[in-house]
Amino acid sequence: MASCEEVSHVGFHEDGLAALAWVERYLESVRERPVLARVKPGGLRAALPARAPEQAEPFADLLRDLEELVLPAVTHWQHPRFFAYFATTGSEPGILAELLTAALNNVGILWRTSPALQELEEVTTAWLADLLGLPQGWHGQLEQGASIATLAALAAAREARPGHRVVACSEHAHSSVDKACRLLGLEVRKTPADGRFRLRPDALDLDGCCAVVATVGTTSSTSVDPVPAVADACAEKGVWLHVDAAYAGSAMVCPEFRWAFDGVERADSLVVNPHKWLSTPQGCSALWTRRPDELRAAFSLVPEYLRAPDAVVSHSEYGPELGRTFRALKLWAVLRCCGRAGLQARIRESVRQAALFEQWVRDDPGWELCAPRPFSVVCFRRNGSDAANEALLGRVNATGKIFISHTRLAGRYVLRLAAGNARTTEADVRQAWDVLREAAPRV
Ligand SMILES: *Cc1c(COP(=O)(O)O)cnc(C)c1O
């Protein structure tokens, strides 16, 4: 029996071509599949052997099982009619860069364990800052997601203001703020929002606060907190301002949306997720700070076996991870292969599609818009009760034709349609509207 290494060597080229062909076919045909997986819990587990194989199996068998067993249990985030949560896109350059990343298999423990990993991260976060109109010279790093980036920022804030253990944010802040505070032993103080779901600065109580989290593009309604007023309050009290622009930050690549970044230049830290609306595959969240020393003070811990004479501070000293992965490669691929123009076109098309859908809802008396729409998410509901809207959501998602999600705004159950996938066409959005109207109860 050939060893695993030998098998992979002999078949690598052929298996690689087969995998690439599979990816191509998948992306071409994904729109024919039901968006939401139609399996029962435990279904995939039951279909797979209880133990790993004793002897090596051909890669082709894995591809077959991926197609036959795994795919039915996949919810298709690459589907053009995935309109739930925040629609994302793993673009072709990003997908190929993931292959290259795995080939290099770099581990960014220290600068010397992969100078390229660290320096490409510095370059791509500086490029991205420039594309989004952010100030020059901020320290940038890439984390797995906004949850980790916010955790890191709040750890720095806690370090910067000893004895202050409260984090203030809007009632619409993302749950990652609550989770970070739980991990850091901090208390969350929820501040009420106004009628347009924006944090009310007049209601902000900074007593005992080490940080305020302002959100540009909240998760429920994509509302934009008044960052300039929050920044004033933070500056007066010496409180760290973290801006969470995980979703909407990508839109700043277009000048017409920059109003939403007003005041962000005064933040102590900022997170934007290229893996949400900037065509980068999952696992790429940009964290910038103008106070990197505080981040380093919170995280630097260099054991003897990692001491090196290099005159460079490693990114692992600025965040929770030691072995950091080469996330910059996929961002580099996306920024180069899309260009500013390509990224702008993508954002503008999502927003155009959302505006169309919003107009259809507005024009139909059987439906109601439930929040302003600054970007590519429409919050709406059918006339009738919360229960009727919840049942409607269940029916439309069961069709497999679209996948949308919900939230609660001003106490009411609200449906959310998030445009943002690069493969979505106007016809797909039209189909979503048709599916919703067909499934709606007559009023
Ligand atoms: C999506 C989102 C997050 C969480 O992002 P992850 O990368 O999944 O951790 C945090 N904040 C906001 C505003 C978001 O939209």
Side-chain angles (χ1 to χ4, degrees):
M1 190 65 208
S3 81
C4 177
E5 254 87 325
E6 281 168 301
V7 170
S8 67
H9 252 289
V10 172
F12 187 64
H13 190 74
E14 229 168 78
D15 291 341
L17 291 180
L20 191 62
W22 187 91
V23 170
E24 233 181 322
R25 265 200 322 277
Y26 172 71
L27 293 176
E28 272 167 21
S29 63
V30 65
R31 66 162 56 250
E32 266 95 64
R33 298 178 185 276
V35 193
L36 190 59
R38 290 172 150 165
V39 286
K40 298 226 161 21
L44 176 59
R45 252 188 352 252
L48 295 174
R51 292 203 172 76
E54 193 61 36
Q55 304 296 338
E57 295 180 355
F59 188 76
D61 290 4
L62 179 125
L63 274 185
R64 184 201 59 217
D65 288 350
L66 175 67
E67 181 77 34
E68 292 174 8
L69 304 176
V70 177
L71 265 198
V74 166
T75 289
H76 298 286
W77 285 75
Q78 297 274 49
H79 198 297
R81 287 186 303 280
F82 185 110
F83 296 115
Y85 317 116
F86 286 114
T88 64
T89 309
S91 64
E92 283 79 354
I95 293 168
L96 294 176
E98 291 277 30
L99 176 68
L100 306 178
T101 303
L104 296 172
N105 203 28
N106 270 207
V107 187
I109 299 172
L110 302 170
W111 176 82
R112 65 165 50 194
T113 66
S114 180
L117 186 154
Q118 172 150 338
E119 293 187 17
L120 202 56
E121 200 165 299
E122 291 167 3
V123 170
T124 51
T125 51
W127 281 13
L128 187 58
D130 175 55
L131 287 169
L132 304 183
L134 295 169
Q136 296 285 298
W138 278 4
H139 164 98
Q141 63 194 49
L142 298 174
E143 298 296 336
Q144 172 67 20
S147 305
I148 300 296
T150 291
L151 174 73
L154 293 181
R158 183 183 66 170
E159 194 70 25
R161 251 194 142 208
H164 295 71
R165 304 196 72 86
V166 180
V167 173
C169 61
S170 134
E171 55 179 313
H172 290 284
H174 190 266
S175 62
S176 54
V177 177
D178 301 73
K179 196 180 264 188
C181 288
R182 195 193 289 180
L183 289 171
L184 295 167
L186 301 172
E187 178 195 326
V188 184
R189 182 178 294 148
K190 293 281 166 80
T191 305
D194 66 15
R196 294 163 71 90
F197 314 111
R198 302 169 299 193
L199 180 147
R200 273 178 43 206
D202 61 299
L204 204 53
D205 170 9
L206 295 189
D207 194 36
C209 277
C210 59
V212 175
V213 179
T215 312
V216 172
T218 57
T219 311
S220 280
S221 73
T222 73
S223 60
V224 176
D225 287 342
V227 179
V230 176
D232 285 344
C234 287
E236 191 188 316
K237 293 270 166 58
V239 172
W240 186 287
L241 172 58
H242 176 62
V243 174
D244 179 358
Y247 153 72
S250 296
M252 304 311 136
V253 75
C254 300
E256 66 269 32
F257 298 114
R258 290 267 172 87
W259 60 267
F261 257 13
D262 200 17
V264 166
E265 71 284 351
R266 296 165 64 195
D268 296 288
S269 55
L270 165 70
V271 57
V272 174
N273 274 0
H275 74 204
K276 252 184 189 149
W277 201 8
L278 221 55
S279 300
T280 310
Q282 268 306 297
C284 188
S285 177
L287 172 67
W288 292 276
T289 180
R290 58 188 175 88
R291 295 169 70 181
D293 291 348
E294 316 279 8
L295 213 58
R296 191 178 171 200
F299 289 106
S300 183
L301 194 163
V302 185
E304 181 54 40
Y305 47 83
L306 292 179
R307 291 200 191 279
D310 311 318
V312 185
V313 183
S314 305
H315 271 179
S316 62
E317 288 187 52
Y318 293 89
E321 289 184 324
L322 175 61
R324 310 176 79 255
T325 58
F326 203 165
R327 290 184 267 266
L329 198 57
K330 58 188 169 189
L331 182 57
W332 192 47
V334 167
L335 297 182
R336 291 188 60 177
C337 299
C338 298
R340 184 199 296 267
L343 300 172
Q344 288 179 336
R346 176 87 298 290
I347 297 285
R348 287 176 178 143
E349 176 58 13
S350 303
V351 174
R352 189 187 74 85
Q353 292 170 358
L356 266 179
F357 184 87
E358 180 188 39
Q359 194 57 47
W360 298 333
V361 174
R362 186 179 286 125
D363 290 345
D364 190 324
W367 302 77
E368 172 193 352
L369 292 169
C370 303
R373 179 207 46 80
F375 307 108
S376 71
V377 174
V378 184
C379 294
F380 64 106
R381 59 182 258 152
R382 177 75 175 169
N383 297 346
S385 65
D386 283 359
N389 275 278
E390 192 172 349
L392 172 61
L393 180 78
R395 284 197 301 279
V396 299
N397 287 340
T399 65
K401 292 176 185 163
I402 66 170
F403 180 29
I404 62 171
S405 58
H406 81 281
T407 189
R408 208 166 262 283
L409 288 174
R412 297 196 310 162
Y413 192 94
V414 166
L415 308 176
R416 263 172 101 268
L417 180 130
N421 183 277
R423 297 172 185 91
T424 306
T425 64
E426 187 176 323
D428 290 312
V429 184
R430 168 58 76 176
Q431 191 176 346
W433 182 227
D434 291 343
V435 168
L436 277 155
R437 282 185 307 170
E438 279 160 30
R442 303 280 155 253
V443 240

